[in-house]
Amino acid sequence: AEEQARENELQGLAAMHGLDASAAEDAMIRQKRAYVLAANRYYQAWQHFSAYYGEPDAKVCPYLYDDMDEFIYLAGLLSGLQALNAQIQSTSSIGVPANVGSIVARATECLENEKWWGAPMALRATVWAMIPGAEPQGEIAFERLDIADGQGEAAGVRLPHVFHAIAAINKGDEDLVKHVIREHARSLAQTPANADWRFVDAMATNMIVAISDRLWVENTGHRTPLGQLGRFWDDKPEEVETMNLDDLL
């Protein structure tokens, strides 16, 4: 449902770029409907998660039996934040509490940050960046996100890039969004995906491509060209070394 919402958004942006107002409005309506469905599904997942592990609270962490249990706990926290984000994107209220983000941020402290590729801290810092007044004294959300990026890149599970890009989008900093996408593309070329968590790394890349596509469609009317993730429409052409033909005479 979320994927369909993004597809509808791209269609709407392309229609706006082509000055087709009716097609743009129709696509945006379909986008919001899809986000309502996504929000309901994510919120249902969050409710199942809360019923199984108990109400998330860093002060009383649940006993997590093994790595898979810890990963499911991380995924459950993500479902709460995704439910809230999808509800916001739908511009409708399906009953997701506004404090879910703060609950998720606190509960990430139940997970070992370095073990999980910097994702818990990245998730926590994203909430700090998005909710006014949530950033603790002495903390700088975007510095934490930079550190988490490095941990994700080193581990071959680049999920922190997604959180960093979302925080940058919320801040309205397009240059930072581009920087995160470039770093993701660079890391893909340099570091293979973690063998045990290839799916999570691929999911992160899928989200980064979606964010890149949104920028490209807004500015050009089309998606990221094939093979050009990490490059943008306004990049300066790469300098090409030329030979002085006079030297051959």
Side-chain angles (χ1 to χ4, degrees):
E2 188 176 47
E3 184 73 22
Q4 188 58 60
R6 289 197 294 265
E7 285 296 311
N8 290 333
E9 181 184 30
L10 292 179
Q11 291 175 20
L13 291 170
M16 288 174 64
H17 194 271
L19 303 180
D20 188 341
S22 296
E25 183 176 5
D26 182 69
M28 296 304 178
I29 292 170
R30 287 185 282 115
Q31 174 196 357
K32 290 178 181 180
R33 288 180 179 177
Y35 269 126
V36 166
L37 179 58
N40 274 293
R41 288 175 173 171
Y42 279 133
Y43 188 45
Q44 186 177 29
W46 172 255
Q47 291 172 313
H48 288 318
F49 164 77
S50 299
Y52 184 81
Y53 288 103
E55 191 67 28
D57 190 336
K59 294 179 182 178
V60 183
C61 295
Y63 179 77
L64 302 172
Y65 294 91
D66 52 25
D67 286 354
M68 185 52 66
D69 206 19
E70 290 182 26
F71 174 72
I72 295 301
Y73 190 80
L74 174 61
L77 295 179
L78 281 173
S79 73
L81 200 60
Q82 288 169 307
L84 182 60
N85 182 61
Q87 176 176 265
I88 293 169
Q89 296 294 328
S90 74
T91 66
S92 301
S93 176
I94 61 122
V96 181
N99 67 339
V100 164
S102 299
I103 293 172
V104 167
R106 290 195 300 271
T108 58
E109 296 180 15
C110 294
L111 296 168
E112 186 179 339
N113 186 57
E114 189 169 350
K115 176 180 180 179
W116 295 106
W117 337 294
M121 175 50 75
L123 181 53
R124 190 152 64 245
T126 299
V127 172
W128 294 347
M130 295 178 67
I131 300 177
E135 188 175 79
Q137 186 174 2
E139 292 283 5
I140 301 176
F142 284 94
E143 286 186 1
R144 287 291 189 176
L145 286 164
D146 281 333
I147 294 170
D149 284 352
Q151 291 175 314
E153 290 169 16
V157 186
R158 285 155 275 251
L159 192 58
H161 284 152
V162 177
F163 298 129
H164 200 166
I166 291 171
I169 290 169
N170 184 71
K171 185 182 178 184
D173 190 339
E174 185 175 290
D175 287 339
L176 180 54
V177 178
K178 288 181 177 180
H179 170 74
V180 174
I181 294 171
R182 291 187 206 277
E183 288 301 297
H184 188 87
R186 177 195 55 75
S187 179
L188 287 175
Q190 294 179 353
T191 306
N194 184 300
D196 295 327
W197 301 100
R198 289 192 301 270
F199 177 76
V200 179
D201 190 56
M203 186 172 64
T205 296
N206 185 59
M207 289 295 297
I208 290 293
V209 170
I211 293 168
S212 176
D213 282 346
R214 191 181 191 282
L215 290 177
W216 272 91
V217 173
E218 275 186 316
N219 288 276
T220 68
H222 63 75
R223 304 170 195 232
T224 311
L226 196 62
Q228 293 194 39
L229 180 66
R231 294 193 58 79
F232 298 96
W233 59 94
D234 54 354
D235 286 346
K236 294 180 180 179
E238 294 182 3
E239 291 185 7
V240 178
E241 186 176 349
T242 59
M243 178 183 293
N244 187 344
L245 298 180
D246 290 341
D247 293 341
L248 299 178
L249 299 178

